[in-house]
Amino acid sequence: MSVDLVEVVRSGFRECVHRGSLVILRPDGDPLVEVGAVHGPIFPRSTNKPLQALTLLRNGFEPLDQAELAVATASHFGEADHVELVQRLLDRFGFTEDDLECPPDLPFEEQARAQALAGRTRSKATRRIFMNCSGKHAAMLATCKINDWPTRGYLDIGHPLQQAVLATIADVTGEPETDLGIDGCGLPIVPVSLVNLARAYATLATSPEGSPERRIADAIRAHPRVISGTDGPDFRVMSATPGLVCKIGADGVHAGALPDGTAFAYKIDDGADRARLPLTSAILQHMGIEWTPEHAEMAAPAVLGGDARVGIIRAVPGLL
């Protein structure tokens, strides 16, 4: 059963509420906060990307630098530096953009999207490399080449790469095998419970330095803008919270961990993006991070009436 997580208050009245489930884990892995349905499987969507990237490191992929590893975990905004990183990865392993099997898209970031559309129809402007998952797909192609696996059809659940992903996620989450879904980029998506998703992020954050798990965490922490984009939620949250590793997923999923292994994961049932930053900020405050003006701003974004602030979006009082 889901619970009230985030409320929108306008002119002193609760206008609406976003429901869902969340868990916060202590460093020993035991729950500190557990509300809603945290033990049943959800589709983590892009929150699974660091675990998919872990599969690549475990199977021979060696990035040139942390930025290249970060883009392999990214839901990037299609900005120029994102596209350059993905193109560099494709070039390095002898692939072209046409080898990517993610769907074509426009950049998510407003200026990059406008530049892509300048003088073009939408159908002519969309490209596979702009798609937010293109870094992951490029790194998957590289891993296929390294292992002499087919580079066509790598989306297929029977492909050796996807079998390796299933094995890695089962290993890191301890999640029993369940029916798979298909993510927005066409890849299989593995259902995971919120409690085991949080534990997986704790593993990334606390593994020994130099281990594949820790390399993933360190790359994300070093390049929060690469994994998201200008003013992206993960960029803002990690920039304000030293040591945090986190990753959003579509439809209201977010998970992360601090260096001591304190970790969280949640799912907003209606997938509302406006509920993310207030809820994540409230969770981080409960986890004991150093509270800053940036956290305070994220915790209570304004509801506007004309040009006036007439309300706020906030975690439900008393939730944590």
Side-chain angles (χ1 to χ4, degrees):
M1 175 183 288
S2 58
V3 300
D4 293 355
L5 296 179
V6 175
E7 63 182 11
V8 181
V9 178
R10 185 188 298 269
S11 302
F13 294 94
R14 180 189 268 196
E15 183 176 49
C16 66
V17 66
H18 301 287
R19 295 175 61 83
S21 304
L22 76 85
V23 64
I24 304 175
L25 303 180
R26 297 184 176 91
D28 63 5
D30 288 337
L32 174 64
V33 174
E34 188 176 311
V35 294
V38 302
H39 295 284
I42 62 151
F43 288 123
R45 304 297 299 273
S46 288
T47 311
N48 262 349
K49 282 178 177 173
L51 307 185
Q52 293 168 316
L54 176 60
T55 305
L56 310 185
L57 291 183
R58 288 182 173 185
N59 285 274
F61 173 63
E62 191 56 45
L64 277 181
D65 51 30
Q66 283 189 321
E68 192 172 274
L69 181 54
V71 84
T73 76
S75 298
H76 67 72
F77 283 14
E79 297 173 80
D81 56 332
H82 299 141
V83 174
E84 288 168 9
L85 275 170
V86 179
Q87 188 63 59
R88 186 183 81 178
L89 184 52
L90 290 170
D91 291 344
R92 189 156 71 88
F93 286 90
F95 293 106
T96 71
E97 184 176 340
D98 289 338
D99 293 307
L100 297 170
E101 295 185 6
C102 56
D105 203 352
L106 289 170
F108 182 81
E109 196 272 330
E110 184 177 338
Q111 291 186 8
R113 177 179 288 241
Q115 185 175 1
L117 282 168
R120 303 178 183 91
T121 63
R122 182 185 177 92
S123 62
K124 295 291 186 181
T126 57
R127 295 176 57 186
R128 295 182 190 275
I129 204 166
F130 289 156
M131 201 267 170
N132 77 89
C133 302
S134 65
K136 173 177 70 174
H137 282 252
M140 285 186 170
L141 280 170
T143 306
C144 289
K145 188 165 188 178
I146 289 165
N147 288 278
D148 292 325
W149 295 335
T151 55
R152 291 188 179 275
Y154 66 86
L155 302 181
D156 207 18
I157 189 57
H159 190 281
L161 176 64
Q162 301 311 323
Q163 289 296 303
V165 169
L166 292 182
T168 296
I169 292 178
D171 174 49
V172 178
T173 67
E175 196 78 18
E177 185 175 337
T178 57
D179 292 336
L180 304 178
I182 301 297
D183 214 342
C185 67
L187 283 164
I189 185 69
V190 182
V192 178
S193 67
L194 289 173
V195 68
N196 284 333
L197 185 61
R199 286 177 178 146
Y201 273 73
T203 296
L204 297 178
T206 61
S207 289
E209 189 171 355
S211 65
E213 294 84 355
R214 180 65 174 275
R215 289 177 66 191
I216 296 288
D218 287 347
I220 291 171
R221 286 187 284 224
H223 296 280
R225 193 183 158 283
V226 168
I227 75 149
S228 54
T230 300
D231 292 329
D234 283 323
F235 173 66
R236 292 186 64 188
V237 171
M238 282 190 279
S239 295
T241 316
L244 175 69
V245 55
C246 65
K247 182 72 185 68
I248 67 167
D251 293 330
V253 184
H254 205 187
L258 295 172
D260 68 351
T262 309
F264 73 90
Y266 65 72
K267 170 75 172 78
I268 300 164
D269 287 348
D270 64 6
D273 283 336
R274 68 179 177 178
R276 282 189 196 278
L277 288 178
L279 184 56
T280 299
S281 299
I283 289 169
L284 291 172
Q285 186 174 35
H286 194 76
M287 290 164 65
I289 58 96
E290 182 179 350
W291 195 248
T292 68
E294 175 67 10
H295 289 109
E297 181 181 336
M298 291 187 291
V303 174
L304 298 179
D307 292 329
R309 182 186 179 108
V310 298
I312 60 171
I313 306 168
R314 66 187 181 191
V316 170
L319 174 67
L320 299 171

